[in-house]
Amino acid sequence: MAISGAAATTLHTLKLAATPSSATAIFRRRRSLSLSLPLFSLLKSPFSPFPLSSLSFSAAASVTSDTAAAVAPVSEKVVRSQWRAAIDFKWIKENREAVAENIVKRNSSANLGLVIELYEKMLALQKEVEQLRGERNAVANKMKGKLDPSERQKLIEEGKNLKDGLAVLEEDLLKLTDELQQEALSIPNMTHPDVPIGGEDCSALRKMVGSKHEFLFPVRDHFQLGKELDLFDFDAAAEVSGSKFYYLKNAAVILEMALVNWTLSEVTRRGFTPLTTPEIVRTSVIEKCGFQPRAENTQIYSIEGTDQCLIGTAEIPVGGIHMDSILSESSLPLKYVAYSHCFRTEAGAAGAATRGLYRVHQFSKVEMFILCRPKDSEKYLEELIGIEEGLFASLGLHFKTLDMASVDLGAPAFRKFDIEAWMPGLARYGEISSASNCTDYQSRRLGIRYRPSEPSATNATKGKSNAATQFVHTLNATACAVPRMIICLLENYQQEDGSVIIPEPLRPYMGGIERITYIPR
């Protein structure tokens, strides 16, 4: 296995490349299925007297192409799996003003005008195709009776011409439909009416917890503390893997394990099912979860020559666990807490504010994920926020909860709340978690539905339901992003002698360590 320099880490059989933001794609194999599912559903919002629409997609599973065997530059083409969403373009056209306003609120690059133009062209072409199919069928029916040889030959020629013309139109329709699909997938979810409009600076303060720790000595940041206590090795990691990678050492390793085990313990006792997840997933699953690159600086690593990517969050594989399935209403809500490693390119991130562990390419994270009935999603968003705030408050952190502004929501979220904790060494608040209600944006792409349990009158004796299936709502929230939590603990619990006290809740998981001190080796 050949390995080159740190800045361009190479493996003989594997290439990691950032997925380009362009919607273009190469398909090694072409075998697609589509579900005829609407893009939007009207939701009766408890926050508004008028119905709110939740933008949604759905699609079926895709196939995997063969794994490639070479390392190549990031700019090379990436193989992507093919899937098609059955989008309600009629709804988009009829609600053009509302969708356009939402695109502006979200600062999305979606081209609504082009989507509607392509949709109208597709409708016209569909009519031509149907007309030609009708003519072809009429010719075929004429040929069933007794005909003179000359008349039969004339119909054969006419049928052949119609068949050839239809093949051309159908190919044009397929291309047009693909183009329409790619354009429409960039349209974001609709936005909760109470979400602040604007950029991150417009986010509204929901709650402030605790107060800043007071220090009677010069405060060190986690980078300096980690060096003095022999907890990190960024230099060796840079040689082995590149910048923004790290080794944890000594008590830092125990601290990571303690944070993960404590978080899992706290969340599972609240009724969540613990999971570990695949950390390589199909590109289509990432897309179905709504993660569409909106700029050149993508956060996704792809595996060269395949339709697979490294996950940036366990939300993606957990979201896919019930893909293309119909759940019973009695099984809802489904609550998961998943531990995984996460991988992000962190493109464009640099500077002192992101040094050390704050912004890295690989990290451990515990993620909460809920699938529920649409009418319950607001309630479970509050539950997720409460769990997050309870965890961080029990560790004695000073933090604030923010109702994030429209531009900072990302494509899938209907509403999102971030928590930012005070990091005294960095002298600022830093994000440590977020909680999002994605309504049915992801479930319609992933094809996750449930069947209401109320039996119909005709089937009451059998105890079966004839009710139409509905799409679940999905929510996700960070329970513990390990590097950010390590920053908070080191910087907030540092002592004048350079040691760091371990908060009480974590001590049972620390193997007897109550204070981190440097021990020469």
Side-chain angles (χ1 to χ4, degrees):
M1 182 178 291
I3 301 179
S4 66
T9 302
T10 54
L11 301 176
H12 186 62
T13 59
L14 177 69
K15 176 204 170 181
L16 299 181
T19 303
S21 59
S22 170
T24 58
I26 298 174
F27 304 121
R28 281 280 184 88
R29 300 176 183 172
R30 191 179 187 90
R31 188 186 76 183
S32 66
L33 302 172
S34 64
L35 298 178
S36 182
L37 303 172
L39 172 62
F40 291 89
S41 69
L42 292 178
L43 304 176
K44 293 294 184 180
S45 170
F47 305 96
S48 174
F50 49 87
L52 297 174
S53 299
S54 180
L55 182 58
S56 317
F57 304 83
S58 178
S62 59
V63 295
T64 309
S65 57
D66 296 333
T67 301
V71 177
V74 169
S75 60
E76 290 196 9
K77 294 177 180 177
V78 176
V79 176
R80 294 174 61 190
S81 59
Q82 180 177 346
W83 64 282
R84 180 170 294 175
I87 302 172
D88 191 348
F89 295 104
K90 182 183 177 189
W91 193 100
I92 295 176
K93 182 178 178 181
E94 292 175 350
N95 295 272
R96 179 170 185 163
E97 289 186 7
V99 177
E101 182 182 358
N102 187 64
I103 289 172
V104 173
K105 288 179 182 178
R106 307 287 280 255
N107 195 29
S108 169
S109 60
N111 190 336
L112 180 60
L114 179 57
V115 168
I116 293 176
E117 177 186 342
L118 291 172
Y119 171 57
E120 291 173 342
K121 287 182 179 179
M122 185 189 72
L123 290 179
L125 193 53
Q126 281 178 337
K127 288 182 181 179
E128 290 186 50
V129 168
E130 290 303 318
Q131 181 179 345
L132 222 56
R133 285 174 180 166
E135 293 176 10
R136 183 190 62 181
N137 293 338
V139 169
N141 288 332
K142 289 180 182 178
M143 293 180 65
K144 292 178 181 178
K146 291 183 179 181
L147 298 170
D148 292 336
S150 60
E151 183 65 23
R152 182 173 295 278
Q153 185 60 37
K154 185 186 297 183
L155 289 175
I156 289 173
E157 291 296 326
E158 184 179 356
K160 183 179 182 299
N161 291 335
L162 287 171
K163 179 181 178 182
D164 292 342
L166 185 60
V168 172
L169 286 181
E170 286 177 335
E171 181 64 26
D172 290 343
L173 181 60
L174 180 63
K175 292 178 180 178
L176 184 60
T177 302
D178 285 344
E179 184 180 359
L180 175 58
Q181 287 280 321
Q182 291 298 327
E183 288 296 331
L185 289 177
S186 63
I187 298 177
N189 199 351
M190 299 301 282
T191 305
H192 191 287
D194 292 341
V195 166
I197 305 304
E200 185 176 359
D201 293 342
C202 297
S203 298
L205 179 65
R206 168 192 167 105
K207 189 176 185 179
M208 184 77 77
V209 175
S211 57
K212 297 178 183 178
H213 285 231
E214 297 292 336
F215 297 95
L216 302 177
F217 55 88
V219 175
R220 304 171 179 86
D221 67 10
H222 75 281
F223 188 82
Q224 183 180 356
L225 287 164
K227 184 176 181 180
E228 293 174 356
L229 295 172
D230 198 22
L231 301 179
F232 318 135
D233 193 335
F234 289 93
D235 293 336
E239 291 297 321
V240 171
S241 303
S243 63
K244 296 192 178 78
F245 287 93
Y246 58 95
Y247 287 97
L248 292 184
K249 299 171 62 179
N250 301 316
V253 178
I254 310 302
L255 181 56
E256 168 160 331
M257 297 299 106
L259 282 165
V260 170
N261 289 325
W262 171 72
T263 303
L264 286 172
S265 176
E266 289 294 309
V267 178
T268 53
R269 71 182 181 86
R270 290 171 169 84
F272 286 70
T273 300
L275 296 174
T276 59
T277 74
E279 293 173 357
I280 295 176
V281 299
R282 299 178 190 272
T283 304
S284 59
V285 177
I286 290 179
E287 293 173 335
K288 290 174 186 179
C289 287
F291 292 92
Q292 296 293 329
R294 293 173 294 171
E296 293 181 2
N297 294 332
T298 179
Q299 296 299 313
I300 300 170
Y301 284 110
S302 67
I303 301 175
E304 177 71 7
T306 76
D307 71 340
Q308 296 170 316
C309 297
L310 302 182
I311 64 170
T313 169
E315 170 191 346
I316 295 166
V318 178
I321 201 170
H322 295 291
M323 187 167 59
D324 299 319
S325 61
I326 299 176
L327 307 171
S328 64
E329 184 176 17
S330 61
S331 71
L332 299 176
L334 290 171
K335 299 179 179 181
Y336 295 108
V337 55
Y339 166 73
S340 75
H341 297 102
C342 304
F343 305 87
R344 301 182 185 180
T345 67
E346 296 296 356
T354 60
R355 77 170 186 158
L357 292 175
Y358 191 83
R359 204 172 292 280
V360 290
H361 292 308
Q362 176 183 335
F363 59 95
S364 301
K365 182 159 70 79
V366 180
E367 184 80 2
M368 297 179 287
F369 194 92
I370 295 178
L371 302 96
C372 68
R373 297 178 302 178
K375 66 180 182 179
D376 296 330
S377 63
E378 288 293 333
K379 175 181 71 174
Y380 287 119
L381 180 61
E382 291 297 322
E383 178 179 323
L384 290 172
I385 297 169
I387 292 173
E388 290 177 324
E389 292 176 341
L391 291 172
F392 305 143
S394 70
L395 292 177
L397 301 182
H398 167 50
F399 60 87
K400 57 183 177 180
T401 306
L402 300 171
D403 189 354
M404 299 308 292
S406 57
V407 173
D408 205 48
L409 291 179
F414 179 61
R415 195 175 195 182
K416 183 176 77 160
F417 292 88
D418 281 3
I419 293 180
E420 297 182 354
W422 178 249
M423 301 176 178
L426 296 178
R428 66 182 179 91
Y429 291 93
E431 180 188 342
I432 58 172
S433 75
S434 66
S436 299
N437 182 358
C438 297
T439 61
D440 59 358
Y441 186 87
Q442 294 176 325
S443 64
R444 286 181 177 269
R445 291 179 169 213
L446 291 161
I448 309 174
R449 296 173 286 169
Y450 77 97
R451 190 178 300 280
S453 57
E454 296 83 1
S456 65
T458 57
N459 252 1
T461 58
K462 298 181 181 179
K464 295 181 180 178
S465 172
N466 281 339
T469 59
Q470 300 177 31
F471 287 93
V472 301
H473 279 194
T474 62
L475 304 96
N476 63 84
T478 309
C480 178
V482 171
R484 301 280 176 95
M485 293 303 293
I486 290 178
I487 292 173
C488 289
L489 296 178
L490 294 183
E491 294 190 359
N492 282 286
Y493 284 97
Q494 62 181 292
Q495 305 299 302
E496 189 171 5
D497 63 1
S499 65
V500 175
I501 294 176
I502 301 298
E504 289 282 351
L506 297 178
R507 292 181 185 179
Y509 303 87
M510 286 293 296
I513 300 174
E514 296 185 359
R515 181 191 293 255
I516 301 175
T517 57
Y518 177 66
I519 302 175
R521 284 173 170 78

